[in-house]
Amino acid sequence: MNNKITTISVIGAGYMGRQIIEKSALYGYNINVYDVSSEGLEEFISDVKKKTDEDKIKIDINVFPSISEAVRNTDLVIEAVPEKLELKKEIFSLIDKSAPKNAIIATNSSSIPISKLEDVVERKDKLLNIHFYNLFTMPLADIMKGTQTSEETFQKGKAWVESIEIVPLEVKKECYGFVLNRIWRAIKKDCLKIWAGGYADIETVDKAWPIFCQYFITNEYGPFQFMDRIGLDVIYDIEMSYFKNSGLPDDKPPDTLKEIVDRGELGVKTEKGFYNYKTK
Ligand SMILES: NC(=O)c1ccc[n+]([C@@H]2O[C@H](COP(=O)([O-])OP(=O)(O)OC[C@H]3O[C@@H](n4cnc5c(N)ncnc54)[C@H](O)[C@@H]3O)[C@@H](O)[C@H]2O)c1
């Protein structure tokens, strides 16, 4: 596998595009940039150049007057234009026509699966969702294949994400909202319902949240480690209680959870749940 990504192209240098440019520059990548608007772009690029010069990082960053020029010499193109499917299609088609045949094309879209852009490109095996959160304060990126993306493309994209010290969140199959966005969406959805339904004040929710999260931070637990500690039989019963209350199919806990419980794998208390706690 040729892992050599040395030059990236960023199409759309707004809020996210600029973070991608700055972070990639600081990790030694050459960068080609295109944006329809030049507002503040030259100043931004010159600030980034100052930082790389100070750190003695030898790279090229150039702004180009067209997409075709910005992607002519590149290994990875990241599109970060506004969240409009038709616009992204138009841009992907232009990129595909001008970028070297082996270049990967990725979208930073927050919601559009890359499969929705497959029909406008020839290189269907070289497409990726690389969804960054915030490259400096929340260094995570969901990474997801399209229906024809090769494993080589996926691994190359993942390695590049890791090379700029962003933690890749591998999405195993197409999932609306990727990984973390989807979890965040579940939290957001019920916060809004609690607020709009008059069940609690926003201040109550916001007071509870950091205390709740502190437990996870202190113990370095994720949700599955937490559920293993509560007990998966308990979790199952609680989820069934919600389901019986609402009657909504979406509230029904997955059958796979029931299967784990029926096998007696209840978490820490039985030394096996989502994780294995047996010491020998
Ligand atoms: N804002 C976030 O927190 C966030 C987080 C993750 C992902 N995203 C995704 O990243 C993408 C960009 O979001 P953003 O917040 O950076 O938007 P933004 O509006 O800040 O930036 C978009 C940039 O694209 C440029 N643009 C518009 N049309 C263009 C075209 N035809 N060709 C080239 N450039 C063009 C605009 O001039 C602008 O600079 C979206 O798909 C969004 O869903 C956003």
Side-chain angles (χ1 to χ4, degrees):
M1 182 171 79
N2 172 18
N3 258 324
K4 207 83 192 118
I5 290 177
T6 56
T7 302
I8 69 159
S9 298
V10 177
I11 307 302
Y15 178 69
M16 291 305 293
R18 289 183 192 202
Q19 290 180 32
I20 297 166
I21 293 166
E22 183 171 346
K23 186 95 178 184
S24 307
L26 293 172
Y27 282 82
Y29 289 95
N30 297 321
I31 302 160
N32 303 332
V33 182
Y34 171 72
D35 195 299
V36 274
S37 160
S38 58
E39 207 190 317
L41 194 52
E42 286 303 339
E43 295 90 315
F44 166 73
I45 298 290
S46 111
D47 283 350
V48 173
K49 276 183 182 156
K50 257 187 230 145
K51 287 184 190 165
T52 53
D53 285 349
E54 272 165 24
D55 291 353
K56 301 199 175 9
I57 300 165
K58 295 249 170 302
I59 51 149
D60 274 338
I61 310 183
N62 294 298
V63 178
F64 289 86
S66 68
I67 289 184
S68 60
E69 289 161 280
V71 304
R72 193 154 294 148
N73 174 13
T74 196
D75 305 304
L76 167 67
V77 185
I78 302 177
E79 165 277 306
V81 302
E83 193 76 338
K84 294 186 180 115
L85 180 60
E86 287 316 310
L87 174 64
K88 289 190 191 275
K89 279 189 171 180
E90 191 189 308
I91 283 176
F92 262 62
S93 166
L94 288 172
I95 296 169
D96 191 46
K97 286 190 180 87
S98 301
K101 286 288 162 249
N102 61 347
I104 295 172
I105 316 178
T107 178
N108 184 50
S109 169
S110 303
S111 66
I112 301 166
I114 192 73
S115 63
K116 295 244 184 312
L117 299 164
E118 281 172 353
D119 56 343
V120 299
V121 301
E122 298 284 332
R123 67 188 80 198
K124 301 184 197 305
D125 60 325
K126 295 194 172 57
L127 300 183
L128 279 176
N129 281 101
I130 300 181
H131 170 249
F132 292 104
Y133 287 78
N134 181 303
L135 284 92
F136 293 93
T137 60
M138 208 183 275
L140 297 164
D142 296 300
I143 169 156
M144 188 169 90
K145 288 180 179 177
T147 66
Q148 297 181 52
T149 306
S150 69
E151 185 58 23
E152 181 180 344
T153 298
F154 187 78
Q155 292 305 332
K156 224 169 146 173
K158 185 181 155 204
W160 174 74
V161 166
E162 285 171 329
S163 77
I164 57 168
E165 290 199 41
I166 301 282
V167 176
L169 306 174
E170 291 185 43
V171 188
K172 286 166 70 181
K173 57 182 178 183
E174 189 172 297
C175 175
Y176 205 88
F178 317 115
V179 181
L180 197 58
N181 246 8
R182 183 158 164 181
I183 296 165
W184 167 229
R185 193 254 169 169
I187 294 162
K188 226 171 18 182
K189 189 175 152 194
D190 269 6
C191 286
L192 291 170
K193 282 188 181 166
I194 282 170
W195 160 68
Y199 299 104
D201 294 332
I202 54 171
E203 290 82 3
T204 302
V205 174
D206 283 348
K207 187 170 58 184
W209 184 247
I211 299 170
F212 180 74
C213 289
Q214 191 57 49
Y215 167 81
F216 291 87
I217 295 164
T218 307
N219 293 291
E220 292 187 32
Y221 290 154
F224 288 94
Q225 289 158 319
F226 187 37
M227 286 191 274
D228 266 357
R229 274 153 186 87
I230 292 169
L232 300 187
D233 48 345
V234 180
I235 295 289
Y236 182 78
D237 289 344
I238 294 169
E239 291 306 299
M240 279 305 288
S241 164
Y242 277 108
F243 174 48
K244 283 178 190 153
N245 181 51
S246 75
L248 297 171
D250 201 40
D251 282 339
K252 188 170 182 281
D255 292 341
T256 28
L257 176 61
K258 175 88 169 67
E259 285 161 23
I260 296 176
V261 170
D262 288 347
R263 284 203 300 271
E265 295 168 9
L266 307 180
V268 172
K269 62 188 170 190
T270 60
E271 296 188 304
K272 196 169 182 343
F274 287 117
Y275 289 92
N276 196 346
Y277 301 92
K278 288 195 176 79
T279 45
K280 52 180 176 72

